[in-house]
Amino acid sequence: MRSVDIDVGGTFTDLVLSFDDQRVIAKSPTTPYDLSVCFLNVLEDGADQLDMDVEELLPQIEVVRYSTTVAMNRLIERRGPRLGLMTTEGHQEAILIGRGAQWCDGLRISERRNLAVQHKPEPLVSRDLIVGLKERVDSAGQVLRPLDEDDVREKLRYLIDNGARSIAVSLLWSFVNPAHEKRVREIIREEYKGYHVGYLPVVLSHEVVGKVGEYERTMTAILDAYLQRSIKLEMEATWDRLRELGYRGTFLLTHNTGGSAEMFKTTASRTYNGGPISGLMGAYHFGRALGYANVIAADVGGTSFDVGMVVDAGVRSYEFRPVIDRWMVGISMLECTTMGAGGGSIASINTLLDRLEVGPRSAGAMPGPVCYDLGGTEPTVTDADVVLGYISPDSYFSGRMPLNADKARAAIEEKIATPLGVSVDEAAAMIRNIVEENMASAIKREVHLRGYHPEDFAVFAFGGGGPTHVAGFRADVPLAVIFPQSPVFCALGSSVMDIMHVYEKSRRMVFMEPVTERLATDYAAFNETVEALVEQARIDIAAEGFDLDEVVYAVELDMLYGGQVQVKRVSSPHVRIESPRHVEEIYNAFEAEFAAAFSPHVIHKPGGVYLDNIVLKATVPTAKPDLPRFELGPADAAAAVKGEREAYWPELGRRQVTTVYRFEDMQPGMHVDGPALVEAEFTTLVVPPGQFFHIDDRGLGLLEYAAGTRDSQEVAA
């Protein structure tokens, strides 16, 4: 397939360009002022590697996939329009009151511990721009109070006169009966038509979240209304440039549900955290191809460290009420933990506690680390890597970004080493150690809190800083896998992601009766809900130009035992229920997954089983990775030696002349013992003493502990 996959990160923009039997990668600095600039810059780099110009390449491309941090960045910057919210009369304060957890949603653990100084987040829509409409629908969808259309027009005019430039509509129980919300939008369109200069974006809550939860559903609608315009402008600028340059294919955006869909079928909130999810899905697909059932996907970028997990060759760990920025929303997202730890994380002395801290503040792409020589003055993790000798100032970013090692050393000396009374090398090693310990702690929390053992996993280390720091952050995980495309792995992941739409609908059903333990017999209610979701999926996928005969449907169910609060999402073995055997098989699947997640001892059949939510996944499969095997050659890696340079190794307590190998020259079977450095085009792998690196029969790099090394380190600790 001929495809372009681009991941826009906070520091670099990554490209994977697949053209028949060729696959090229490229990176380019992100341009925050206009993301279409870095998009085209990295695309030009890829085209150059194929000896083409962009105008020649794009007409031959079948699909462009794009993952972006636009939603995250715009939310952080609070650069959205002035919002208006229309809700049911009497419920105007619901989102301001919020849920109890609103005080600490989105805060780091260290901040949550000091709740006394915390405040609720500043709302995205001010109280004076929240209006209550005269209407009411009950939980069964019955209209208790008809919509007063004159009241809608009056309050709409009030919102516009007071500066609202985008409207979110969230009425009670609208996902059961959306008639009132739809009529409100019709009235808004009658008053402010689409062809007017003052076009007014309108987001209906039942269309973005079709399930119970007033606060979460309303906040999702508000976030979509807040982010829609800025994302639309960013995407349209890129889309227009692609069309001008001859591209006529589809433009897909990565979703945080693990799939991708066309830009015109994507809501703003679905793009949030799209890049890390691309990496997680890449770990899932490549892990299956390689035979790794349990994988920790660890992405070290310029501004953040993202961790996701593949368990038992599956990715179904969802956040059912995820927090975006400071607000809990109603969409289901794949779980991916993000923390402020990356190459650009700033190191500083906490004068109150008299200790060194690294992150979460980041130098970003501009001005970046001190060694970039673009005006940065605060030392970062990348500066520490340069000072320690791990990153070559002349080879960084394939030699296109010479680094200023002297400025990096001076910054660490002034801001860290002198205040702590240590040498510059020791200070740089401390910076590196702290950020890696923070990363390792994040991995341990993810693994242990879910009841798993690190020894059963492999780490896929990617991002520009993944190979550079994996030796320190993988801790008890015995094996780290480094791909030739590790620096652009999120873009590589999106290249194998399916085109997938996810639809959800709240449907409360008694699946197993309490006491009697009799299974459900009302198949019609279940099947009607699934059919409605299937019809919606067919409309969306047909509009994107895909063959409906290729679509694969799968159903997942949110279920729980009566008297318990823990909901488990289970993959249903059947899309529709046609017989008692189908019901029994669905229950058995639920029991098995519930027991695996929480313990067989909490299975409580006498309490009954309840179905809360039905999820339909409509998937157009894409080609999956086919990784060839190679014959293993000799272990001697002398043919891959690039040179030598001095590097500081804390394990030895001194600097030492260290051999540098070229990753691209290492052949299957070659073996390197630490200390060593292995340089690739856009990253450097650090192999410390006590660990070794070798190339397997797939051409992938494996980092492992030397025999007995990990045990001795634990004893010493």
Side-chain angles (χ1 to χ4, degrees):
M1 191 175 192
R2 296 177 175 181
S3 63
V4 169
D5 292 272
I6 291 182
D7 174 47
V8 180
T11 307
F12 288 104
T13 296
D14 303 339
L15 166 80
V16 171
L17 172 56
S18 303
F19 197 85
D20 296 334
D21 60 345
Q22 300 181 77
R23 176 180 281 157
V24 301
I25 68 174
K27 291 177 80 77
S28 178
T30 295
T31 51
Y33 57 87
D34 186 348
L35 296 183
S36 67
V37 174
C38 55
F39 184 101
L40 289 175
N41 287 345
V42 77
L43 188 56
E44 288 172 357
D45 285 351
D48 287 344
Q49 294 181 53
L50 296 177
D51 294 323
M52 297 183 185
D53 55 32
V54 175
E55 291 88 344
E56 180 186 358
L57 171 69
L58 282 175
Q60 303 180 64
I61 296 296
E62 299 170 54
V63 62
V64 173
R65 300 182 188 90
Y66 188 59
S67 55
T68 175
T69 59
V70 173
M72 189 184 307
N73 296 340
R74 295 300 173 264
L75 202 50
I76 291 171
E77 298 161 357
R78 299 294 189 266
R79 285 173 54 186
R82 191 163 165 79
L83 287 185
L85 171 64
M86 291 181 160
T87 188
T88 301
E89 190 174 53
H91 291 257
Q92 294 93 312
E93 281 77 24
I95 64 160
L96 304 179
I97 296 170
R99 298 174 65 91
Q102 192 185 56
W103 289 92
C104 57
D105 280 342
L107 296 178
R108 299 189 302 275
I109 292 177
S110 59
E111 294 172 318
R112 295 180 187 180
R113 290 172 179 158
N114 193 9
L115 188 60
V117 300
Q118 301 306 327
H119 300 280
K120 286 187 177 183
E122 189 70 25
L124 294 177
V125 53
S126 58
R127 176 61 186 88
D128 62 311
L129 289 181
I130 302 176
V131 297
L133 303 183
K134 295 177 180 178
E135 67 84 40
R136 187 62 190 267
V137 173
D138 68 11
S139 61
Q142 300 297 315
V143 177
L144 302 180
R145 184 183 189 184
L147 180 68
D148 186 332
E149 297 190 3
D150 291 335
D151 178 63
V152 175
R153 296 179 195 276
E154 178 185 340
K155 287 171 178 172
L156 173 62
R157 175 58 59 188
Y158 164 81
L159 292 176
I160 300 305
D161 289 346
N162 283 275
R165 293 299 175 263
S166 187
I167 303 292
V169 183
S170 181
L171 306 179
L172 286 184
W173 301 105
S174 60
F175 62 93
V176 180
N177 181 354
H180 285 181
E181 280 196 356
K182 290 181 176 179
R183 181 55 188 150
V184 169
R185 178 166 59 190
E186 290 173 359
I187 292 171
I188 295 173
R189 288 287 170 261
E190 290 169 5
E191 297 289 324
Y192 301 94
K193 300 186 184 299
Y195 52 79
H196 288 162
V197 174
Y199 173 75
L200 197 64
V202 180
V203 175
L204 305 185
S205 69
H206 80 273
E207 293 182 342
V208 293
V209 178
K211 61 182 182 180
V212 71
E214 180 189 358
Y215 173 72
E216 294 89 344
R217 180 164 47 85
T218 304
M219 283 312 310
T220 308
I222 287 172
L223 283 168
D224 276 321
Y226 188 75
L227 296 171
Q228 185 188 60
R229 180 170 292 179
S230 60
I231 293 181
K232 178 175 179 287
L233 293 174
E234 295 279 9
M235 295 298 99
E236 283 182 346
T238 302
W239 176 247
D240 289 344
R241 292 293 293 133
L242 284 172
R243 305 302 281 184
E244 290 169 5
L245 294 168
Y247 178 63
R248 294 296 179 264
T250 187
F251 188 50
L252 302 178
L253 296 183
T254 300
H255 288 193
N256 45 35
T257 52
S260 57
E262 197 171 53
M263 177 178 71
F264 301 105
K265 298 293 180 180
T266 298
T267 59
S269 56
R270 290 292 182 190
T271 69
Y272 193 85
N273 223 28
I277 295 300
S278 297
L280 174 59
M281 293 306 296
Y284 163 65
H285 289 299
F286 282 98
R288 290 187 65 179
L290 294 167
Y292 293 108
N294 300 321
V295 176
I296 297 168
D299 179 7
V300 183
T303 57
S304 65
F305 175 62
D306 304 296
V307 180
M309 289 177 60
V310 178
V311 179
D312 294 332
V315 183
R316 285 204 314 278
S317 294
Y318 289 95
E319 296 179 80
F320 296 109
R321 287 173 173 164
V323 175
I324 292 181
D325 196 284
R326 294 292 310 277
W327 294 280
M328 187 180 292
V329 296
I331 60 176
S332 296
M333 292 167 46
L334 285 173
E335 280 193 275
C336 189
T337 300
T338 299
M339 62 182 296
S345 294
I346 294 171
S348 60
I349 304 294
N350 185 324
T351 54
L352 292 177
L353 300 177
D354 192 29
R355 71 180 184 190
L356 175 63
E357 295 181 350
V358 182
R361 289 192 306 125
S362 174
M366 286 288 182
V370 176
C371 59
Y372 281 15
D373 211 2
L374 296 175
T377 59
E378 298 183 276
T380 66
V381 173
T382 297
D383 293 313
D385 289 333
V386 171
V387 167
L388 292 169
Y390 300 151
I391 292 178
S392 167
D394 301 321
S395 302
Y396 186 73
F397 199 61
S398 196
R400 287 181 287 165
M401 281 184 66
L403 303 180
N404 192 325
D406 293 335
K407 283 193 173 182
R409 175 173 287 275
I412 291 177
E413 181 175 21
E414 177 189 350
K415 301 288 181 66
I416 308 299
T418 300
L420 293 179
V422 298
S423 69
V424 176
D425 283 342
E426 289 172 326
M430 290 170 65
I431 293 171
R432 182 179 167 89
N433 181 64
I434 288 173
V435 77
E436 289 175 349
E437 283 297 325
N438 291 341
M439 296 174 184
S441 295
I443 290 177
K444 289 175 183 176
R445 283 196 302 270
E446 287 298 298
V447 175
H448 288 303
L449 291 179
R450 296 191 198 178
Y452 302 112
H453 300 288
E455 298 81 9
D456 298 331
F457 286 79
V459 169
F460 284 10
F462 51 91
T468 307
H469 293 276
V470 65
F473 69 66
R474 69 189 175 100
D476 297 327
V477 181
L479 176 69
V481 181
I482 292 88
F483 290 75
Q485 303 89 357
S486 279
V488 296
F489 193 82
C490 289
L492 181 67
S494 75
S495 73
V496 296
M497 287 174 66
D498 295 324
I499 296 156
M500 182 173 69
H501 291 266
V502 179
Y503 304 89
E504 300 185 51
K505 185 74 173 178
S506 283
R507 185 75 197 206
R508 184 74 170 183
M509 288 177 56
V510 179
F511 205 81
M512 175 188 284
E513 291 183 358
V515 183
T516 65
E517 300 181 14
R518 187 170 61 189
L519 292 170
T521 57
D522 183 9
Y523 309 155
F526 181 93
N527 292 337
E528 285 172 6
T529 303
V530 172
E531 287 298 337
L533 297 177
V534 167
E535 182 58 29
Q536 187 178 350
R538 289 175 64 85
I539 293 171
D540 288 344
I541 292 174
E544 294 179 353
F546 296 106
D547 186 350
L548 292 178
D549 292 335
E550 296 181 4
V551 181
V552 177
Y553 298 102
V555 168
E556 295 183 352
L557 306 172
D558 295 341
M559 303 174 72
L560 73 160
Y561 284 102
Q564 299 183 4
V565 297
Q566 295 293 347
V567 176
K568 183 72 180 80
R569 179 162 293 183
V570 58
S571 181
S572 172
H574 303 286
V575 174
R576 297 168 183 82
I577 299 178
E578 307 291 351
S579 68
R581 181 175 59 84
H582 287 181
V583 182
E584 185 177 349
E585 288 172 353
I586 291 174
Y587 170 74
N588 290 339
F590 165 65
E591 182 181 288
E593 294 206 26
F594 193 91
F598 301 112
S599 168
H601 301 293
V602 296
I603 292 173
H604 184 52
K605 295 172 71 173
V609 176
Y610 296 88
L611 170 63
D612 260 3
N613 195 44
I614 297 176
V615 181
L616 176 77
K617 291 185 174 180
T619 303
V620 180
T622 60
K624 295 300 177 282
D626 181 19
L627 301 175
R629 291 185 180 275
F630 304 96
E631 185 177 342
L632 294 177
D636 186 9
V641 172
K642 181 179 180 180
E644 293 181 335
R645 67 170 173 267
E646 266 200 0
Y648 180 82
W649 299 101
E651 298 85 353
L652 304 177
R654 66 177 187 275
R655 280 187 169 268
Q656 178 172 303
V657 175
T658 304
T659 305
V660 180
Y661 299 85
R662 191 172 187 271
F663 187 95
E664 289 79 6
D665 290 340
M666 294 194 69
Q667 301 301 313
M670 286 187 176
H671 177 108
V672 171
D673 289 313
L677 299 169
V678 183
E679 288 188 350
E681 186 176 9
F682 296 115
T683 189
T684 299
L685 171 69
V686 176
V687 187
Q691 299 190 39
F692 67 91
F693 177 72
H694 61 106
I695 305 296
D696 71 357
D697 61 351
R698 302 278 193 171
L700 306 179
L702 304 181
L703 182 67
E704 301 183 62
Y705 291 109
T709 301
R710 187 62 186 163
D711 294 336
S712 63
Q713 288 177 347
E714 290 174 351
V715 170

